[in-house]
Amino acid sequence: MEHCIINIGRQYGSGGRQIGEKIAERLHFAYYDKELINLASKESGLGKEFFEAADEKKTYSLTGGWLGLRNNFISSNFLENYLSNETLFKIQSDIIRELADKQHCVFVGRCADYILRNYPHVLNVFITADLADRKTRILERMKDLAEDKAEDMLEKTDKRRAGYYNYYTGKTWGAAASYHLCVNSSVLGIDGTVDYICDLFEKSGMVEGMR
Amino acid sequence: MEHCIINIGRQYGSGGRQIGEKIAERLHFAYYDKELINLASKESGLGKEFFEAADEKKTYSLTGGWLGLRNNFISSNFLENYLSNETLFKIQSDIIRELADKQHCVFVGRCADYILRNYPHVLNVFITADLADRKTRILERMKDLAEDKAEDMLEKTDKRRAGYYNYYTGKTWGAAASYHLCVNSSVLGIDGTVDYICDLFEKSGMVEGMR
């Protein structure tokens, strides 16, 4: 059986990650974002030497602490300090394919739409939201962020995401032509958007691949 | 009562125009594309002097014929030869607002999403499709087009549309962030895509404005 894959790209603060989690829960798919992809890589032994190096360095942080890493969880920012982007991308790509071969999955970010472009049952989605809702969302998440810095933060994060995506995929991040569906989560709210995306998935016939 | 407006942008050959017509039919909305907006402008007396000039020239085409203009229908290409882009844009903007004030409407193209950006009940949609489907569609429409020129034609037309849209709106044509919904019509087909868009319209609460 070929597995069904839903890939989600998103504007920062659009609720895309939460939407991805809820879609996975609804459809009983496995859910992976950047952190969980890194954890799966580590567990699978992919790029073992890099994770070990990262683990070793972990105890020697400038602050002398554990950098808030718990439960064997490697933070992506931490990894990014020790691996070249190319190496990290390669490890993440291998694990994304390995995970997609094993089960139905929702992937958030990490160019998974590009990495899995030759897989037969793939739905690529991009989430946007109204600026006001995105600001509210990140201000709730980051209590220390000054209100007048929120817009700047949104812009910088999206610029970084776009740069990463465009570099590795040769496609355009956030362009309608790069996805099957792009939807503004402010229209229907988080749960309504989850319903709406699941509806496309069901109608698309991809679901036949699950039977 | 405020009227409900659905604006549709589209990749060339994506079926966007047909989708727009079917949505209008389904919801009993008035339907306007470029040609119909020009006709409405003419009938309303907007830019009267330009349409008269165009009418006069009509009989003096190089081929000595009527340039295929029937039923008082002014071709857009023809108009574009006699009006500056700025003038044409202004006339079209005025008539789009006038039409939106009178009734529920579907507009295809003409930056209607930007022109009506301050209207309260507006849903902005962009239609894409797989390259193969777009090629098939324009080859069916233009019997004289050589198959190996189809891709070039798609690219050039979209480049022109993007240039027009980006110039007048300051937004990015075909970027997810510019619309509430972007959908690839190859996933569900024309009728399935019409259903899917009407579903968003109904769930969005905009429909309350119609009651």
Side-chain angles (χ1 to χ4, degrees), chain A residues 11-16 18-19 127-142 145 147 150-151 154 158 183-190 193, chain B residues 180:
Chain A
Q11 285 186 318
Y12 190 44
S14 66
Q18 201 187 346
I19 288 169
I127 310 292
T128 59
D130 290 351
L131 185 59
D133 291 339
R134 297 169 61 208
K135 275 167 87 167
T136 304
R137 199 169 278 117
I138 69 160
L139 286 165
E140 271 168 16
R141 199 183 304 162
M142 293 185 285
L145 185 67
E147 205 177 322
E151 210 159 319
L154 290 172
D158 279 356
V183 59
N184 178 323
S185 66
S186 299
V187 178
L188 300 179
I190 297 296
T193 305
Chain B
H180 297 108

PDB file of all heavy atoms in Angstrom, chain A residues 11-16 18-19 127-142 145 147 150-151 154 158 183-190 193, chain B residues 180:
ATOM      1  N   GLN A  11       2.681  30.495   6.536  1.00  0.00           N
ATOM      2  CA  GLN A  11       3.187  31.776   7.018  1.00  0.00           C
ATOM      3  C   GLN A  11       3.377  31.656   8.530  1.00  0.00           C
ATOM      4  O   GLN A  11       2.583  30.976   9.200  1.00  0.00           O
ATOM      5  CB  GLN A  11       2.167  32.892   6.770  1.00  0.00           C
ATOM      6  CG  GLN A  11       2.056  33.367   5.346  1.00  0.00           C
ATOM      7  CD  GLN A  11       1.121  34.564   5.246  1.00  0.00           C
ATOM      8  OE1 GLN A  11       0.076  34.593   5.873  1.00  0.00           O
ATOM      9  NE2 GLN A  11       1.501  35.544   4.454  1.00  0.00           N
ATOM     10  N   TYR A  12       4.360  32.362   9.041  1.00  0.00           N
ATOM     11  CA  TYR A  12       4.578  32.370  10.486  1.00  0.00           C
ATOM     12  C   TYR A  12       3.361  33.001  11.173  1.00  0.00           C
ATOM     13  O   TYR A  12       2.876  34.046  10.732  1.00  0.00           O
ATOM     14  CB  TYR A  12       5.849  33.171  10.790  1.00  0.00           C
ATOM     15  CG  TYR A  12       6.341  33.068  12.211  1.00  0.00           C
ATOM     16  CD1 TYR A  12       6.379  31.853  12.879  1.00  0.00           C
ATOM     17  CD2 TYR A  12       6.791  34.201  12.888  1.00  0.00           C
ATOM     18  CE1 TYR A  12       6.854  31.766  14.176  1.00  0.00           C
ATOM     19  CE2 TYR A  12       7.272  34.122  14.181  1.00  0.00           C
ATOM     20  CZ  TYR A  12       7.289  32.905  14.828  1.00  0.00           C
ATOM     21  OH  TYR A  12       7.754  32.831  16.117  1.00  0.00           O
ATOM     22  N   GLY A  13       2.873  32.339  12.209  1.00  0.00           N
ATOM     23  CA  GLY A  13       1.725  32.872  12.946  1.00  0.00           C
ATOM     24  C   GLY A  13       0.373  32.598  12.301  1.00  0.00           C
ATOM     25  O   GLY A  13      -0.643  33.123  12.742  1.00  0.00           O
ATOM     26  N   SER A  14       0.364  31.751  11.272  1.00  0.00           N
ATOM     27  CA  SER A  14      -0.907  31.483  10.566  1.00  0.00           C
ATOM     28  C   SER A  14      -1.698  30.347  11.216  1.00  0.00           C
ATOM     29  O   SER A  14      -2.828  30.077  10.819  1.00  0.00           O
ATOM     30  CB  SER A  14      -0.633  31.115   9.108  1.00  0.00           C
ATOM     31  OG  SER A  14       0.059  29.873   9.046  1.00  0.00           O
ATOM     32  N   GLY A  15      -1.075  29.677  12.192  1.00  0.00           N
ATOM     33  CA  GLY A  15      -1.734  28.516  12.810  1.00  0.00           C
ATOM     34  C   GLY A  15      -1.494  27.232  12.034  1.00  0.00           C
ATOM     35  O   GLY A  15      -2.126  26.215  12.315  1.00  0.00           O
ATOM     36  N   GLY A  16      -0.587  27.262  11.078  1.00  0.00           N
ATOM     37  CA  GLY A  16      -0.358  26.113  10.192  1.00  0.00           C
ATOM     38  C   GLY A  16       0.100  24.863  10.929  1.00  0.00           C
ATOM     39  O   GLY A  16      -0.321  23.749  10.600  1.00  0.00           O
ATOM     40  N   GLN A  18      -0.499  24.069  14.122  1.00  0.00           N
ATOM     41  CA  GLN A  18      -1.648  23.556  14.889  1.00  0.00           C
ATOM     42  C   GLN A  18      -2.635  22.854  13.947  1.00  0.00           C
ATOM     43  O   GLN A  18      -3.174  21.791  14.274  1.00  0.00           O
ATOM     44  CB  GLN A  18      -2.316  24.761  15.558  1.00  0.00           C
ATOM     45  CG  GLN A  18      -3.178  24.418  16.745  1.00  0.00           C
ATOM     46  CD  GLN A  18      -3.943  25.647  17.252  1.00  0.00           C
ATOM     47  OE1 GLN A  18      -3.642  26.795  16.879  1.00  0.00           O
ATOM     48  NE2 GLN A  18      -4.927  25.407  18.104  1.00  0.00           N
ATOM     49  N   ILE A  19      -2.834  23.438  12.790  1.00  0.00           N
ATOM     50  CA  ILE A  19      -3.727  22.835  11.788  1.00  0.00           C
ATOM     51  C   ILE A  19      -3.174  21.469  11.356  1.00  0.00           C
ATOM     52  O   ILE A  19      -3.916  20.491  11.268  1.00  0.00           O
ATOM     53  CB  ILE A  19      -3.903  23.795  10.579  1.00  0.00           C
ATOM     54  CG1 ILE A  19      -4.774  24.987  10.990  1.00  0.00           C
ATOM     55  CG2 ILE A  19      -4.499  23.076   9.365  1.00  0.00           C
ATOM     56  CD1 ILE A  19      -4.802  26.136   9.989  1.00  0.00           C
ATOM     57  N   ILE A 127      -0.725  27.466   4.376  1.00  0.00           N
ATOM     58  CA  ILE A 127      -1.662  28.214   5.236  1.00  0.00           C
ATOM     59  C   ILE A 127      -1.204  29.668   5.374  1.00  0.00           C
ATOM     60  O   ILE A 127      -0.041  29.935   5.710  1.00  0.00           O
ATOM     61  CB  ILE A 127      -1.731  27.605   6.656  1.00  0.00           C
ATOM     62  CG1 ILE A 127      -1.965  26.087   6.605  1.00  0.00           C
ATOM     63  CG2 ILE A 127      -2.799  28.302   7.494  1.00  0.00           C
ATOM     64  CD1 ILE A 127      -3.299  25.661   6.099  1.00  0.00           C
ATOM     65  N   THR A 128      -2.119  30.595   5.127  1.00  0.00           N
ATOM     66  CA  THR A 128      -1.881  32.013   5.393  1.00  0.00           C
ATOM     67  C   THR A 128      -2.884  32.442   6.474  1.00  0.00           C
ATOM     68  O   THR A 128      -3.718  31.649   6.905  1.00  0.00           O
ATOM     69  CB  THR A 128      -2.129  32.873   4.131  1.00  0.00           C
ATOM     70  OG1 THR A 128      -3.493  32.686   3.711  1.00  0.00           O
ATOM     71  CG2 THR A 128      -1.207  32.466   2.991  1.00  0.00           C
ATOM     72  N   ALA A 129      -2.790  33.689   6.906  1.00  0.00           N
ATOM     73  CA  ALA A 129      -3.817  34.250   7.802  1.00  0.00           C
ATOM     74  C   ALA A 129      -3.733  35.767   7.707  1.00  0.00           C
ATOM     75  O   ALA A 129      -2.710  36.306   7.251  1.00  0.00           O
ATOM     76  CB  ALA A 129      -3.609  33.792   9.239  1.00  0.00           C
ATOM     77  N   ASP A 130      -4.784  36.431   8.138  1.00  0.00           N
ATOM     78  CA  ASP A 130      -4.760  37.898   8.170  1.00  0.00           C
ATOM     79  C   ASP A 130      -3.652  38.356   9.118  1.00  0.00           C
ATOM     80  O   ASP A 130      -3.394  37.716  10.143  1.00  0.00           O
ATOM     81  CB  ASP A 130      -6.106  38.435   8.663  1.00  0.00           C
ATOM     82  CG  ASP A 130      -7.213  38.216   7.643  1.00  0.00           C
ATOM     83  OD1 ASP A 130      -6.914  37.802   6.501  1.00  0.00           O
ATOM     84  OD2 ASP A 130      -8.384  38.453   8.003  1.00  0.00           O
ATOM     85  N   LEU A 131      -3.042  39.485   8.775  1.00  0.00           N
ATOM     86  CA  LEU A 131      -1.922  40.005   9.561  1.00  0.00           C
ATOM     87  C   LEU A 131      -2.288  40.172  11.037  1.00  0.00           C
ATOM     88  O   LEU A 131      -1.511  39.805  11.927  1.00  0.00           O
ATOM     89  CB  LEU A 131      -1.466  41.347   8.955  1.00  0.00           C
ATOM     90  CG  LEU A 131      -0.229  41.968   9.570  1.00  0.00           C
ATOM     91  CD1 LEU A 131       0.973  41.045   9.455  1.00  0.00           C
ATOM     92  CD2 LEU A 131       0.088  43.322   8.920  1.00  0.00           C
ATOM     93  N   ALA A 132      -3.473  40.700  11.311  1.00  0.00           N
ATOM     94  CA  ALA A 132      -3.888  40.934  12.704  1.00  0.00           C
ATOM     95  C   ALA A 132      -3.902  39.615  13.486  1.00  0.00           C
ATOM     96  O   ALA A 132      -3.434  39.563  14.631  1.00  0.00           O
ATOM     97  CB  ALA A 132      -5.265  41.592  12.732  1.00  0.00           C
ATOM     98  N   ASP A 133      -4.426  38.571  12.885  1.00  0.00           N
ATOM     99  CA  ASP A 133      -4.489  37.267  13.571  1.00  0.00           C
ATOM    100  C   ASP A 133      -3.092  36.689  13.783  1.00  0.00           C
ATOM    101  O   ASP A 133      -2.825  36.041  14.803  1.00  0.00           O
ATOM    102  CB  ASP A 133      -5.316  36.266  12.746  1.00  0.00           C
ATOM    103  CG  ASP A 133      -6.790  36.645  12.731  1.00  0.00           C
ATOM    104  OD1 ASP A 133      -7.213  37.396  13.628  1.00  0.00           O
ATOM    105  OD2 ASP A 133      -7.509  36.203  11.814  1.00  0.00           O
ATOM    106  N   ARG A 134      -2.220  36.894  12.823  1.00  0.00           N
ATOM    107  CA  ARG A 134      -0.854  36.371  12.953  1.00  0.00           C
ATOM    108  C   ARG A 134      -0.127  37.098  14.088  1.00  0.00           C
ATOM    109  O   ARG A 134       0.596  36.473  14.868  1.00  0.00           O
ATOM    110  CB  ARG A 134      -0.097  36.534  11.638  1.00  0.00           C
ATOM    111  CG  ARG A 134      -0.726  35.715  10.498  1.00  0.00           C
ATOM    112  CD  ARG A 134      -0.130  36.079   9.153  1.00  0.00           C
ATOM    113  NE  ARG A 134       1.292  35.800   9.126  1.00  0.00           N
ATOM    114  CZ  ARG A 134       2.176  36.468   8.366  1.00  0.00           C
ATOM    115  NH1 ARG A 134       1.764  37.439   7.568  1.00  0.00           N
ATOM    116  NH2 ARG A 134       3.434  36.140   8.405  1.00  0.00           N
ATOM    117  N   LYS A 135      -0.330  38.401  14.174  1.00  0.00           N
ATOM    118  CA  LYS A 135       0.299  39.172  15.253  1.00  0.00           C
ATOM    119  C   LYS A 135      -0.213  38.701  16.612  1.00  0.00           C
ATOM    120  O   LYS A 135       0.565  38.446  17.528  1.00  0.00           O
ATOM    121  CB  LYS A 135       0.003  40.663  15.065  1.00  0.00           C
ATOM    122  CG  LYS A 135       0.975  41.328  14.118  1.00  0.00           C
ATOM    123  CD  LYS A 135       0.524  42.694  13.676  1.00  0.00           C
ATOM    124  CE  LYS A 135       0.932  43.816  14.598  1.00  0.00           C
ATOM    125  NZ  LYS A 135       0.727  45.136  13.926  1.00  0.00           N
ATOM    126  N   THR A 136      -1.526  38.600  16.734  1.00  0.00           N
ATOM    127  CA  THR A 136      -2.124  38.138  17.996  1.00  0.00           C
ATOM    128  C   THR A 136      -1.533  36.788  18.387  1.00  0.00           C
ATOM    129  O   THR A 136      -1.155  36.567  19.539  1.00  0.00           O
ATOM    130  CB  THR A 136      -3.657  37.981  17.822  1.00  0.00           C
ATOM    131  OG1 THR A 136      -4.175  39.236  17.384  1.00  0.00           O
ATOM    132  CG2 THR A 136      -4.325  37.563  19.117  1.00  0.00           C
ATOM    133  N   ARG A 137      -1.428  35.890  17.408  1.00  0.00           N
ATOM    134  CA  ARG A 137      -0.958  34.532  17.698  1.00  0.00           C
ATOM    135  C   ARG A 137       0.486  34.530  18.201  1.00  0.00           C
ATOM    136  O   ARG A 137       0.792  33.859  19.184  1.00  0.00           O
ATOM    137  CB  ARG A 137      -1.120  33.654  16.461  1.00  0.00           C
ATOM    138  CG  ARG A 137      -1.101  32.182  16.767  1.00  0.00           C
ATOM    139  CD  ARG A 137      -1.515  31.335  15.580  1.00  0.00           C
ATOM    140  NE  ARG A 137      -2.953  31.235  15.425  1.00  0.00           N
ATOM    141  CZ  ARG A 137      -3.650  31.673  14.385  1.00  0.00           C
ATOM    142  NH1 ARG A 137      -3.048  32.258  13.368  1.00  0.00           N
ATOM    143  NH2 ARG A 137      -4.954  31.523  14.350  1.00  0.00           N
ATOM    144  N   ILE A 138       1.376  35.299  17.557  1.00  0.00           N
ATOM    145  CA  ILE A 138       2.769  35.223  18.018  1.00  0.00           C
ATOM    146  C   ILE A 138       2.975  36.003  19.317  1.00  0.00           C
ATOM    147  O   ILE A 138       3.833  35.663  20.109  1.00  0.00           O
ATOM    148  CB  ILE A 138       3.822  35.622  16.951  1.00  0.00           C
ATOM    149  CG1 ILE A 138       3.796  37.093  16.612  1.00  0.00           C
ATOM    150  CG2 ILE A 138       3.712  34.752  15.698  1.00  0.00           C
ATOM    151  CD1 ILE A 138       5.104  37.535  15.967  1.00  0.00           C
ATOM    152  N   LEU A 139       2.151  37.027  19.542  1.00  0.00           N
ATOM    153  CA  LEU A 139       2.262  37.760  20.814  1.00  0.00           C
ATOM    154  C   LEU A 139       1.801  36.881  21.983  1.00  0.00           C
ATOM    155  O   LEU A 139       2.347  36.964  23.082  1.00  0.00           O
ATOM    156  CB  LEU A 139       1.471  39.072  20.758  1.00  0.00           C
ATOM    157  CG  LEU A 139       2.129  40.162  19.903  1.00  0.00           C
ATOM    158  CD1 LEU A 139       1.146  41.289  19.580  1.00  0.00           C
ATOM    159  CD2 LEU A 139       3.388  40.724  20.578  1.00  0.00           C
ATOM    160  N   GLU A 140       0.822  36.015  21.723  1.00  0.00           N
ATOM    161  CA  GLU A 140       0.380  35.066  22.765  1.00  0.00           C
ATOM    162  C   GLU A 140       1.475  34.032  23.048  1.00  0.00           C
ATOM    163  O   GLU A 140       1.681  33.614  24.172  1.00  0.00           O
ATOM    164  CB  GLU A 140      -0.880  34.323  22.309  1.00  0.00           C
ATOM    165  CG  GLU A 140      -2.152  35.043  22.688  1.00  0.00           C
ATOM    166  CD  GLU A 140      -3.375  34.453  21.995  1.00  0.00           C
ATOM    167  OE1 GLU A 140      -3.299  33.324  21.473  1.00  0.00           O
ATOM    168  OE2 GLU A 140      -4.402  35.153  21.957  1.00  0.00           O
ATOM    169  N   ARG A 141       2.164  33.631  21.980  1.00  0.00           N
ATOM    170  CA  ARG A 141       3.178  32.584  22.112  1.00  0.00           C
ATOM    171  C   ARG A 141       4.446  33.127  22.769  1.00  0.00           C
ATOM    172  O   ARG A 141       5.070  32.464  23.571  1.00  0.00           O
ATOM    173  CB  ARG A 141       3.507  32.026  20.719  1.00  0.00           C
ATOM    174  CG  ARG A 141       4.164  30.669  20.737  1.00  0.00           C
ATOM    175  CD  ARG A 141       4.532  30.220  19.321  1.00  0.00           C
ATOM    176  NE  ARG A 141       3.380  30.204  18.419  1.00  0.00           N
ATOM    177  CZ  ARG A 141       3.460  30.192  17.089  1.00  0.00           C
ATOM    178  NH1 ARG A 141       4.637  30.209  16.491  1.00  0.00           N
ATOM    179  NH2 ARG A 141       2.384  30.174  16.344  1.00  0.00           N
ATOM    180  N   MET A 142       4.828  34.359  22.388  1.00  0.00           N
ATOM    181  CA  MET A 142       6.074  34.925  22.905  1.00  0.00           C
ATOM    182  C   MET A 142       5.764  36.113  23.795  1.00  0.00           C
ATOM    183  O   MET A 142       5.665  37.245  23.321  1.00  0.00           O
ATOM    184  CB  MET A 142       6.964  35.327  21.734  1.00  0.00           C
ATOM    185  CG  MET A 142       7.436  34.089  20.974  1.00  0.00           C
ATOM    186  SD  MET A 142       8.594  34.500  19.672  1.00  0.00           S
ATOM    187  CE  MET A 142       7.476  35.195  18.478  1.00  0.00           C
ATOM    188  N   LEU A 145       7.799  39.361  23.625  1.00  0.00           N
ATOM    189  CA  LEU A 145       7.889  40.123  22.375  1.00  0.00           C
ATOM    190  C   LEU A 145       7.070  41.416  22.489  1.00  0.00           C
ATOM    191  O   LEU A 145       5.885  41.390  22.823  1.00  0.00           O
ATOM    192  CB  LEU A 145       7.364  39.271  21.215  1.00  0.00           C
ATOM    193  CG  LEU A 145       7.503  39.861  19.815  1.00  0.00           C
ATOM    194  CD1 LEU A 145       8.967  39.976  19.407  1.00  0.00           C
ATOM    195  CD2 LEU A 145       6.743  39.016  18.789  1.00  0.00           C
ATOM    196  N   GLU A 147       4.922  44.497  21.279  1.00  0.00           N
ATOM    197  CA  GLU A 147       3.879  44.507  20.258  1.00  0.00           C
ATOM    198  C   GLU A 147       4.372  45.132  18.955  1.00  0.00           C
ATOM    199  O   GLU A 147       4.036  44.666  17.857  1.00  0.00           O
ATOM    200  CB  GLU A 147       2.660  45.261  20.791  1.00  0.00           C
ATOM    201  CG  GLU A 147       1.389  44.818  20.099  1.00  0.00           C
ATOM    202  CD  GLU A 147       0.146  45.504  20.657  1.00  0.00           C
ATOM    203  OE1 GLU A 147       0.086  45.708  21.890  1.00  0.00           O
ATOM    204  OE2 GLU A 147      -0.744  45.826  19.849  1.00  0.00           O
ATOM    205  N   ALA A 150       6.305  42.797  16.547  1.00  0.00           N
ATOM    206  CA  ALA A 150       5.665  41.566  16.065  1.00  0.00           C
ATOM    207  C   ALA A 150       5.697  41.485  14.532  1.00  0.00           C
ATOM    208  O   ALA A 150       6.049  40.444  13.958  1.00  0.00           O
ATOM    209  CB  ALA A 150       4.230  41.492  16.570  1.00  0.00           C
ATOM    210  N   GLU A 151       5.361  42.592  13.891  1.00  0.00           N
ATOM    211  CA  GLU A 151       5.280  42.577  12.434  1.00  0.00           C
ATOM    212  C   GLU A 151       6.646  42.291  11.812  1.00  0.00           C
ATOM    213  O   GLU A 151       6.769  41.523  10.851  1.00  0.00           O
ATOM    214  CB  GLU A 151       4.748  43.927  11.947  1.00  0.00           C
ATOM    215  CG  GLU A 151       3.980  43.807  10.660  1.00  0.00           C
ATOM    216  CD  GLU A 151       3.030  44.986  10.447  1.00  0.00           C
ATOM    217  OE1 GLU A 151       2.377  45.414  11.431  1.00  0.00           O
ATOM    218  OE2 GLU A 151       2.974  45.469   9.319  1.00  0.00           O
ATOM    219  N   LEU A 154       7.416  38.619  12.136  1.00  0.00           N
ATOM    220  CA  LEU A 154       6.682  37.833  11.131  1.00  0.00           C
ATOM    221  C   LEU A 154       7.398  37.909   9.794  1.00  0.00           C
ATOM    222  O   LEU A 154       7.605  36.902   9.118  1.00  0.00           O
ATOM    223  CB  LEU A 154       5.256  38.376  10.959  1.00  0.00           C
ATOM    224  CG  LEU A 154       4.285  38.165  12.124  1.00  0.00           C
ATOM    225  CD1 LEU A 154       2.984  38.932  11.875  1.00  0.00           C
ATOM    226  CD2 LEU A 154       3.981  36.685  12.313  1.00  0.00           C
ATOM    227  N   ASP A 158       9.308  34.749   7.854  1.00  0.00           N
ATOM    228  CA  ASP A 158       8.821  34.304   6.549  1.00  0.00           C
ATOM    229  C   ASP A 158       9.884  34.457   5.468  1.00  0.00           C
ATOM    230  O   ASP A 158       9.983  33.634   4.559  1.00  0.00           O
ATOM    231  CB  ASP A 158       7.563  35.077   6.154  1.00  0.00           C
ATOM    232  CG  ASP A 158       6.333  34.501   6.820  1.00  0.00           C
ATOM    233  OD1 ASP A 158       6.477  33.469   7.503  1.00  0.00           O
ATOM    234  OD2 ASP A 158       5.246  35.064   6.667  1.00  0.00           O
ATOM    235  N   VAL A 183      -4.868  28.268   1.812  1.00  0.00           N
ATOM    236  CA  VAL A 183      -6.084  28.796   2.439  1.00  0.00           C
ATOM    237  C   VAL A 183      -5.741  29.708   3.613  1.00  0.00           C
ATOM    238  O   VAL A 183      -4.782  29.468   4.346  1.00  0.00           O
ATOM    239  CB  VAL A 183      -7.064  27.644   2.809  1.00  0.00           C
ATOM    240  CG1 VAL A 183      -6.428  26.647   3.751  1.00  0.00           C
ATOM    241  CG2 VAL A 183      -8.373  28.161   3.351  1.00  0.00           C
ATOM    242  N   ASN A 184      -6.498  30.788   3.719  1.00  0.00           N
ATOM    243  CA  ASN A 184      -6.323  31.777   4.780  1.00  0.00           C
ATOM    244  C   ASN A 184      -7.131  31.293   5.989  1.00  0.00           C
ATOM    245  O   ASN A 184      -8.364  31.216   5.937  1.00  0.00           O
ATOM    246  CB  ASN A 184      -6.840  33.131   4.263  1.00  0.00           C
ATOM    247  CG  ASN A 184      -6.757  34.234   5.302  1.00  0.00           C
ATOM    248  OD1 ASN A 184      -6.983  34.005   6.483  1.00  0.00           O
ATOM    249  ND2 ASN A 184      -6.446  35.434   4.862  1.00  0.00           N
ATOM    250  N   SER A 185      -6.426  30.973   7.070  1.00  0.00           N
ATOM    251  CA  SER A 185      -7.089  30.357   8.225  1.00  0.00           C
ATOM    252  C   SER A 185      -7.983  31.339   8.972  1.00  0.00           C
ATOM    253  O   SER A 185      -8.745  30.933   9.851  1.00  0.00           O
ATOM    254  CB  SER A 185      -6.054  29.744   9.177  1.00  0.00           C
ATOM    255  OG  SER A 185      -5.250  30.766   9.746  1.00  0.00           O
ATOM    256  N   SER A 186      -7.890  32.637   8.644  1.00  0.00           N
ATOM    257  CA  SER A 186      -8.770  33.616   9.296  1.00  0.00           C
ATOM    258  C   SER A 186     -10.211  33.500   8.807  1.00  0.00           C
ATOM    259  O   SER A 186     -11.129  33.969   9.477  1.00  0.00           O
ATOM    260  CB  SER A 186      -8.270  35.042   9.037  1.00  0.00           C
ATOM    261  OG  SER A 186      -6.972  35.211   9.557  1.00  0.00           O
ATOM    262  N   VAL A 187     -10.414  32.903   7.629  1.00  0.00           N
ATOM    263  CA  VAL A 187     -11.778  32.821   7.077  1.00  0.00           C
ATOM    264  C   VAL A 187     -12.631  31.864   7.901  1.00  0.00           C
ATOM    265  O   VAL A 187     -13.757  32.185   8.289  1.00  0.00           O
ATOM    266  CB  VAL A 187     -11.761  32.374   5.593  1.00  0.00           C
ATOM    267  CG1 VAL A 187     -13.182  32.238   5.053  1.00  0.00           C
ATOM    268  CG2 VAL A 187     -10.955  33.347   4.734  1.00  0.00           C
ATOM    269  N   LEU A 188     -12.117  30.675   8.199  1.00  0.00           N
ATOM    270  CA  LEU A 188     -12.915  29.652   8.886  1.00  0.00           C
ATOM    271  C   LEU A 188     -12.406  29.344  10.296  1.00  0.00           C
ATOM    272  O   LEU A 188     -13.003  28.520  10.990  1.00  0.00           O
ATOM    273  CB  LEU A 188     -12.913  28.346   8.072  1.00  0.00           C
ATOM    274  CG  LEU A 188     -13.475  28.390   6.647  1.00  0.00           C
ATOM    275  CD1 LEU A 188     -13.373  27.010   5.993  1.00  0.00           C
ATOM    276  CD2 LEU A 188     -14.925  28.855   6.627  1.00  0.00           C
ATOM    277  N   GLY A 189     -11.306  29.955  10.706  1.00  0.00           N
ATOM    278  CA  GLY A 189     -10.714  29.619  12.010  1.00  0.00           C
ATOM    279  C   GLY A 189      -9.940  28.308  11.915  1.00  0.00           C
ATOM    280  O   GLY A 189      -9.970  27.640  10.876  1.00  0.00           O
ATOM    281  N   ILE A 190      -9.249  27.944  12.985  1.00  0.00           N
ATOM    282  CA  ILE A 190      -8.380  26.759  12.957  1.00  0.00           C
ATOM    283  C   ILE A 190      -9.180  25.486  12.682  1.00  0.00           C
ATOM    284  O   ILE A 190      -8.890  24.740  11.741  1.00  0.00           O
ATOM    285  CB  ILE A 190      -7.593  26.618  14.290  1.00  0.00           C
ATOM    286  CG1 ILE A 190      -6.649  27.822  14.493  1.00  0.00           C
ATOM    287  CG2 ILE A 190      -6.803  25.297  14.331  1.00  0.00           C
ATOM    288  CD1 ILE A 190      -5.553  27.975  13.480  1.00  0.00           C
ATOM    289  N   THR A 193     -10.755  25.348   9.261  1.00  0.00           N
ATOM    290  CA  THR A 193      -9.756  25.139   8.212  1.00  0.00           C
ATOM    291  C   THR A 193      -9.328  23.670   8.168  1.00  0.00           C
ATOM    292  O   THR A 193      -9.117  23.108   7.089  1.00  0.00           O
ATOM    293  CB  THR A 193      -8.537  26.061   8.438  1.00  0.00           C
ATOM    294  OG1 THR A 193      -9.021  27.412   8.523  1.00  0.00           O
ATOM    295  CG2 THR A 193      -7.538  25.961   7.306  1.00  0.00           C
TER     296      THR A 193
ATOM    297  N   HIS B 180      -7.879  34.686  -0.344  1.00  0.00           N
ATOM    298  CA  HIS B 180      -8.371  33.844   0.753  1.00  0.00           C
ATOM    299  C   HIS B 180      -8.164  32.362   0.457  1.00  0.00           C
ATOM    300  O   HIS B 180      -7.959  31.562   1.361  1.00  0.00           O
ATOM    301  CB  HIS B 180      -9.876  34.096   0.982  1.00  0.00           C
ATOM    302  CG  HIS B 180     -10.175  35.498   1.403  1.00  0.00           C
ATOM    303  ND1 HIS B 180     -10.778  36.424   0.579  1.00  0.00           N
ATOM    304  CD2 HIS B 180      -9.910  36.152   2.562  1.00  0.00           C
ATOM    305  CE1 HIS B 180     -10.900  37.574   1.226  1.00  0.00           C
ATOM    306  NE2 HIS B 180     -10.378  37.434   2.428  1.00  0.00           N
TER     307      HIS B 180
END
